[in-house]
Amino acid sequence: MVNILDPENMTGCQKAAVFLMAMGEDYAASVFEKMNEREIGEIAFEMSKVDHITPEMLKIVSAEFVEKFEGESKIIVEKDSFIKNIVSKTLTADNARAILDDLEKKKQDKPFIWSRNVNVGTLAGYVVGEHPQTIAMILAHMPSEISSEILMTLPDDQKGDIALRIARLGQISEDVVRDVDVALKMELSGAVGPGGKAGGLEVLVDIINGVDKSTEDAVMEFVEEDDAEMANDIRNLMFVFEDLTSIDDTAMREILKKVEGQQLTYALKTATDEMKEKIFSNLSQRAGEMLKDDLDAMGPVRLTEVEEAQQAVIRAAKELEADGTITLGKGKDDVLV
């Protein structure tokens, strides 16, 4: 099976992995020498999921590679030996063995992780035919950004029901999860590249945070009618674009580093003055002036494009929080009003 990352949706860690693999073992080893063991382990894990480096991927991670690799060619990488060699060159034998053993364990312990490498439309076509409880279990265990896209494709009269089932999903037997994982992966074997938690409110909120406004409204309306208290809990846990006004400036600057200029411009189209001020105060004077000029010059845009851009900013923030780089501080006991 061939595993190719989606160039437009790579995380920072995935970009680093692609760049280092493209630069070669010696260069990667020299970079690893400047990292701690946790960072090396995370990047090595992302390297293990890459079989091909396409020109599109290189355009994203390094402008220098555009001229060299633009076109249909690919770099075939021997990922296992590559990772083993650079980790072994960088760390002591015991530490290298520990990271490589942990890497193998991580690769085995991630059901549905392969869903990142499948066309979402194709994946949704298979999932939608399952029993609602099975759909809920699958979405609860998939990466939240994939589950968000699948939830958006479901009929409106099913979205709320599936959401409630996710929120109420108890602990699922690991054997059951892996059986469904294997079965679905086999069904999608032509579309998949190589590559037991419970459900609950936090899993559902992660999914809702990635869907469009119409899907969010459909879900919340259904939940509100069935369980008003749960609907309130979900709202308290949800993190929305305007909540970024309450994070500290250091965290905001980290987020802005990960957001493309056009995305930020679109995201601010409907933003409050407070949100705009938060953004501008954390940009350089030159970058702020350019952003203001872009906003002034922008004509009417579709609301869906603005919402998608705001979701992109939120996803960047959540990736940084997951990496431990920033803290968003959103939860039941820290409701932003």
Side-chain angles (χ1 to χ4, degrees), residues 82-310:
F82 183 97
I83 296 166
K84 181 178 179 181
N85 288 342
I86 61 172
V87 170
S88 298
K89 287 180 181 179
T90 308
L91 303 175
T92 64
D94 289 343
N95 289 339
R97 189 180 305 109
I99 282 183
L100 293 172
D101 289 346
D102 183 59
L103 179 58
E104 285 302 313
K105 185 175 184 298
K106 284 182 177 179
K107 288 165 67 176
Q108 295 171 2
D109 289 348
K110 292 285 186 179
F112 298 103
I113 194 67
W114 49 264
S115 63
R116 295 182 188 274
N117 306 305
V118 182
N119 177 277
V120 174
T122 302
L123 182 57
Y126 280 83
V127 172
V128 72
E130 299 289 343
H131 185 279
Q133 190 68 9
T134 303
I135 296 175
M137 187 274 285
I138 291 172
L139 297 189
H141 288 81
M142 279 184 175
S144 60
E145 69 272 17
I146 305 298
S147 298
S148 298
E149 293 193 52
I150 293 176
L151 185 60
M152 287 189 284
T153 70
L154 297 177
D156 285 347
D157 60 354
Q158 292 184 21
K159 291 175 180 175
D161 178 42
I162 299 300
L164 274 177
R165 290 172 184 270
I166 292 172
R168 293 169 174 166
L169 194 65
Q171 186 73 38
I172 305 295
S173 162
E174 183 177 346
D175 289 340
V176 172
V177 174
R178 294 204 176 277
D179 285 347
V180 176
D181 173 46
V182 171
L184 186 58
K185 186 175 181 179
M186 288 183 64
E187 286 189 64
L188 286 156
S189 59
V192 180
K197 63 175 181 179
L201 286 182
E202 292 189 1
V203 173
L204 175 59
V205 168
D206 282 342
I207 295 171
I208 295 177
N209 275 334
V211 304
D212 55 24
K213 189 66 166 60
S214 62
T215 299
E216 178 186 326
D217 290 344
V219 168
M220 293 307 299
E221 180 180 352
F222 189 98
V223 175
E224 184 77 53
E225 292 179 359
D226 188 271
D227 190 333
E229 183 178 353
M230 179 185 290
N232 185 59
D233 289 341
I234 291 172
R235 290 190 181 95
N236 288 343
L237 284 168
M238 285 180 66
F239 191 92
V240 297
F241 183 66
E242 291 294 335
D243 288 333
L244 292 173
T245 58
S246 298
I247 68 173
D248 63 59
D249 289 341
T250 301
M252 176 58 77
R253 286 191 288 272
E254 290 296 326
I255 294 169
L256 292 176
K257 291 177 185 177
K258 289 177 64 70
V259 178
E260 296 179 3
Q262 186 178 37
Q263 283 181 328
L264 186 58
T265 305
Y266 273 60
L268 289 182
K269 180 68 174 178
T270 61
T272 62
D273 290 341
E274 184 182 7
M275 186 72 245
K276 290 178 181 177
E277 176 58 31
K278 182 72 172 183
I279 297 293
F280 288 128
S281 66
N282 284 287
L283 291 172
S284 67
Q285 182 177 351
R286 181 173 177 275
E289 290 173 352
M290 291 176 63
L291 179 57
K292 289 178 181 178
D293 289 342
D294 289 342
L295 280 170
D296 291 340
M298 181 186 293
V301 296
R302 289 178 296 183
L303 181 60
T304 54
E305 293 180 303
V306 175
E307 291 174 349
E308 287 171 2
Q310 291 179 350

